[in-house]
Amino acid sequence: MRNKLADVLIAKGIVDTKVLDAIRTVPRHLFMDSSFEGHAYQDKAFPIAADQTISQPYTVAFQTGLLEVEPGHKVLEIGTGSGYQTAILMQLKAKVYTIERQLELFKKTNLFFKKMGYRPKKVIFGDGYKGLPEVAPFDSIIVTAGAPEVPKALLSQLKIGGRLVIPVGIDDQIMTLFIRKSEKEFEKKELGSFRFVPLLEDKN
Ligand code: SAH
């Protein structure tokens, strides 16, 4: 079923062979509630706990490809959710730091990683808007929720040459790639329309 899902993603334009291999390897059904398990290899988003969703495989593959992950890269993920995207990044041998602001999901997914033997570098309960200054700079940062605006902290936590992939917008989002060219310069590319649950800021 995973091979078939990879074929569907190829037909939709995903070409990155390492990303496709990761999709063929990570058991998405285990990241989902048992009531949806039978649908895990459809190219669709599904509800997880706390009114959130596990991203559509096409979206996961598209965003992951834009990160250009190399083994050993230090990657920050905002929005751990089910942990599926985290696992795809780990399959690419990234050192993953992942932040989740919903306590219920943080606890559930953290426990799941331990049970499954998945080892992200760190799973953090907190507000991803702020990034993770104590671990920065990162080779890449992926935001898996729709951001009304681009958090400045995330741009500032990229290495030179580092990449931020973030869906920007309120109802619909434009997938936006930033590449840090120098201390002050960023190249920006807009890469199509997507729909995500919102990135929420903790104002306290
Ligand atoms: N990568 C996840 C996507 C989950 S949906 C997966 O594949 O399952 C997006 C997640 O972002 C939700 O779990 C939501 O709670 C979380 N989120 C929203 N705003 C956030 C913030 N400011 N910091 C960290 N996580 C946030």
Side-chain angles (χ1 to χ4, degrees), residues 28 31 46 48-56 60 63 77-86 98-103 105-106 109 124-130 142-146 196-202:
R28 188 175 187 244
F31 293 78
F46 287 100
I48 52 175
D51 284 334
Q52 304 303 318
T53 55
I54 177 170
S55 297
Q56 183 181 341
V60 172
Q63 287 196 279
E77 177 191 27
I78 312 298
T80 315
S82 68
Y84 178 68
Q85 171 73 69
T86 323
T98 181
I99 308 180
E100 173 57 55
R101 69 176 288 284
Q102 290 273 1
L103 185 60
L105 265 176
F106 162 76
T109 302
I124 298 126
F125 172 57
D127 179 8
Y129 256 87
K130 302 179 180 72
I142 175 172
V143 179
T144 69
F196 283 83
V197 294
L199 183 73
L200 299 173
E201 189 170 8
D202 289 337

Side-chain angles (χ1 to χ4, degrees), residues 16 61-69 73 75 138-143 147 150 154-155 158-159 161-169 173-181 185-194 196:
D16 189 314
F62 188 83
Q63 287 196 279
T64 308
L66 292 174
L67 298 176
E68 299 192 349
V69 176
H73 268 187
V75 179
F138 294 94
D139 292 287
S140 61
I141 301 177
I142 175 172
V143 179
V150 181
L154 299 185
L155 288 170
L158 287 176
K159 287 183 187 173
R163 303 163 81 88
L164 167 65
V165 174
I166 179 167
V168 184
Q173 291 84 29
I174 305 290
M175 192 62 74
T176 311
L177 167 67
F178 291 90
I179 305 172
R180 188 170 205 169
K181 293 292 178 188
E185 287 163 294
F186 295 86
E187 182 183 336
K188 178 181 172 186
K189 291 186 185 166
E190 295 187 333
L191 299 156
S193 180
F194 288 80
F196 283 83

